[in-house]
């Protein structure tokens, strides 16, 4: 039997999870292998807001930051390459979870239902041994773990299948993701 083709948005693959869990390194490995990747909206916003002395930094105004991240994540989906797997470092769901946390708005349901990604979401778990802070990532480890828990809840509430990535090398993580996606029945 021929596998059923995947909907077009199923080629949009989310790498999310704990801040400092190895997402950016993993995305760099997937890019090195020739796949399209989209940088995390949060890091882009922090860089731009820091240069412009903009108050929408997550440690100044989380709600404003989350709204900008949602707008940017939505635009990223609209401008994603037209073919092949596209790997997103975080997604619109991440931004909606942050907005919901900051404001109490039902943002996950509102934004997450109409803007779908691949049904499998790959999460990097808390991994204190590799975590570092920098000018763009000031969040402490405990807050990062709470954010991770909120993300699990958000993705599950939208019906996504969570794939917790093991604490292994970046090449092993990339191999696991590509095997899992290829097993869905359509090689991109």
């Amino acid at each position: 039997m021929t596998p059923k083709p995947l909907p077009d948005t199923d080629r949009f693959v989310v790498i999310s999870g704990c801040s400092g869990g190895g997402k950016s390194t993993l995305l760099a490995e997937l890019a090195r292998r020739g796949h399209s990747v989209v940088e995390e909206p949060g890091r882009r916003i922090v860089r731009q807001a820091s240069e412009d002395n903009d108050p929408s930094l997550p440690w100044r105004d989380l709600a404003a930051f989350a709204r900008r991240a949602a707008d940017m994540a939505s635009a990223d989906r609209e401008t994603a390459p037209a073919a092949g797997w596209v790997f997103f470092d975080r997604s619109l769901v991440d931004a909606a979870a942050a907005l919901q946390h900051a404001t109490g708005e039902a943002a996950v349901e509102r934004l997450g239902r109409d803007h779908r990604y691949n049904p499998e979401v790959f999460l990097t778990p808390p991994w204190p041994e590799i975590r570092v802070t920098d000018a763009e990532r000031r969040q402490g480890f405990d807050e990062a773990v709470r954010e991770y828990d909120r993300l699990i809840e958000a993705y599950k509430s939208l019906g996504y299948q969570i794939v917790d990535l093991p604490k292994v090398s970046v090449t092993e993580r990339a191999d696991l993701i590509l095997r899992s996606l290829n097993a869905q029945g359509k090689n991109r």
Side-chain angles (χ1 to χ4, degrees):
M1 179 188 326
T2 304
K4 181 180 174 185
L6 296 172
D8 194 51
T9 56
D10 281 4
R11 63 190 187 77
F12 295 167
V13 181
V14 176
I15 311 290
S16 186
C18 192
S19 177
K23 291 181 303 299
S24 297
T25 303
L26 177 55
L27 272 283
E29 173 65 15
L30 291 164
R32 187 189 68 73
R33 294 182 186 200
H35 297 285
S36 297
V37 299
V38 178
E39 184 184 6
E40 176 185 352
R43 283 197 177 265
R44 289 181 278 162
I45 292 166
V46 168
R47 279 194 303 270
Q48 181 183 14
S50 296
E51 291 171 7
D52 299 341
N53 202 22
D54 182 327
S56 60
L57 294 164
W59 48 88
R60 288 191 191 152
D61 187 344
L62 182 58
F65 170 81
R67 283 187 178 88
R68 281 189 67 187
D71 290 345
M72 189 174 282
S74 181
D76 288 342
R77 284 175 46 85
E78 295 298 318
T79 59
W85 297 115
V86 181
F87 292 94
F88 291 82
D89 188 344
R90 299 201 181 268
S91 76
L92 185 56
V93 176
D94 294 60
L99 184 58
Q100 187 165 305
H101 172 67
T103 67
E105 295 176 29
V108 170
E109 177 67 26
R110 181 171 50 83
L111 295 172
R113 289 274 175 220
D114 294 334
H115 305 282
R116 302 296 294 177
Y117 296 85
N118 188 283
E120 287 185 327
V121 174
F122 299 91
L123 295 184
T124 60
W127 194 352
E129 294 82 5
I130 67 167
R131 188 173 197 283
V132 295
T133 56
D134 57 35
E136 296 170 2
R137 183 190 303 133
R138 295 183 182 181
Q139 179 184 57
F141 183 72
D142 291 341
E143 178 53 33
V145 172
R146 286 190 292 274
E147 176 192 37
Y148 172 76
D149 292 339
R150 287 190 298 271
L151 290 171
I152 289 173
E153 184 179 317
Y155 280 106
K156 283 185 176 180
S157 76
L158 294 169
Y160 286 98
Q161 178 185 345
I162 304 294
V163 179
D164 243 342
L165 292 170
K167 295 176 181 177
V168 295
S169 74
V170 67
T171 55
E172 290 171 294
R173 280 181 161 186
D175 290 344
L176 180 148
I177 289 169
L178 294 172
R179 274 193 313 273
S180 183
L181 293 173
N182 289 333
Q184 288 181 13
K186 191 168 192 176
N187 195 351
R188 297 275 177 166

